[in-house]
Amino acid sequence: MSFTFIQKILTDSTRFPYTSAFVVLFITVAAAAVRLRRLSKTTSFTMSSSSVNDAVQLQRNRIFSSKLYFDVPPSKVPIIYSESYDISFLGIEKMHPFDSSKWGRVCKFLVSIAVLDKKCIVEPLEASKDDLLVVHSESYLNSLKESSNVATIIEVPPVALFPNCIVQQKVLHPFWKQVGGTILSAKLAKERGWAINIGGGFHHCSAERGGGFCAYADISLCIHFSFVRLNISRVMIIDLDAHQGNGHGMDFAYDSQVYILDMYNPGIYPLDYEARNYINQKVEVKSGTLTEDYLQKLDEALEVAGRRFDPELIVYNAGTDILDGDPLGRLKISPEGIALRDEKVFRFAREKNIPILMLTSGGYMKSSARVIADSIVNLSKKCLIADKQGS
């Protein structure tokens, strides 16, 4: 149960007319109990109405003081990337099936075929500790000072053997940059109609728990920033990575401002059955699903989502681990099918005049980088990422 939801209950007398001290106490204790279940360590604390308001105000202050939102000149296109995104750690990164140089290779493909001028790419700032504290707790961030915890999250055991200062620089620093890119992409999407972060999409990380190569909850952070800085009150997450997005599911449980459409393979990681309860629209696609069936399910899902919810921003988690041959996604979607998938989502946003930001998320084949680049080229050809400002 999020602070935002609790605050609504305590302050909105039209929806929640009960004002007795007993009901307020009951709601507070129930919210604390839900929060406790999500903590990786047992913690004892009490939460009063005033402490909730204090926490919300502290969150707002951090967002307003952040430097991650900055003005981007019209000469830049809303494609966000930094060379710092790529992870290189003495070759140890190759022990995980994720291609940690995927992000740089996407940009190289786009530049090499003259679709994108390198000078026009937006370079984000890295998220600071205060930025991360907008969603994450101090205790969670402190847990990342233990190399063994980072090793568990990124699923590369030898990382546990290295001094944490090296792990911070080689592993976590690239994530700080990508988080900064995801947060900035919401601002650019609001201004230009669309934005693509060639990175991000760490949908297995929640406020209190990382996993699945996801150390920071960039999607949750992005949305909280957009609530405060962009005056947005309704966000739709369209998560089409092959894996269930359990991180943002936990973070926005019971939050009516966020609608989650998650289309995932139910037979693979993370098998988070609690988080599945918080998905507004579940579309389960079993191992072996082919392109035609997948796209038909997507068409139906988008039609339903459009009827149920009217967002002011769409966060599109566009994992390419649905690609045929991906060892972890276990689906059989062709490269052309992925381009069509992305086209359908962007067309959905365009037809409803909703700003959309895209994150590249998972994808565990070397061919994923080219598939992403080709899809972006297709979006450009179909004029679905034409810049409002004419850059």
Side-chain angles (χ1 to χ4, degrees), residues 184-210:
L184 178 62
S185 66
K187 177 179 184 291
L188 285 172
K190 181 75 181 294
E191 294 171 351
R192 312 282 187 94
W194 64 277
I196 298 174
N197 183 21
I198 309 289
F202 305 127
H203 64 160
H204 296 310
C205 186
S206 65
E208 297 293 345
R209 184 177 181 181

Side-chain angles (χ1 to χ4, degrees), residues 19-36:
T19 56
S20 70
F22 173 78
V23 173
V24 171
L25 178 62
F26 175 80
I27 292 169
T28 301
V29 172
V34 173
R35 181 83 167 165
L36 279 169

Side-chain angles (χ1 to χ4, degrees), residues 138-211:
E138 187 91 36
S139 62
Y140 175 73
L141 296 183
N142 284 337
S143 76
L144 300 181
K145 295 178 182 179
E146 295 290 335
S147 296
S148 58
N149 291 334
V150 177
T152 299
I153 289 170
I154 68 170
E155 301 171 340
V156 181
V159 168
L161 304 175
F162 285 82
N164 190 253
C165 60
I166 297 176
V167 174
Q168 293 276 330
Q169 182 63 31
K170 292 293 187 178
V171 178
L172 297 182
H173 177 263
F175 288 144
W176 300 336
K177 271 281 193 175
Q178 293 195 45
V179 169
T182 297
I183 291 172
L184 178 62
S185 66
K187 177 179 184 291
L188 285 172
K190 181 75 181 294
E191 294 171 351
R192 312 282 187 94
W194 64 277
I196 298 174
N197 183 21
I198 309 289
F202 305 127
H203 64 160
H204 296 310
C205 186
S206 65
E208 297 293 345
R209 184 177 181 181

Side-chain angles (χ1 to χ4, degrees), residues 9 27 88 183 316:
I9 294 176
I27 292 169
S88 178
I183 291 172
Y316 174 34

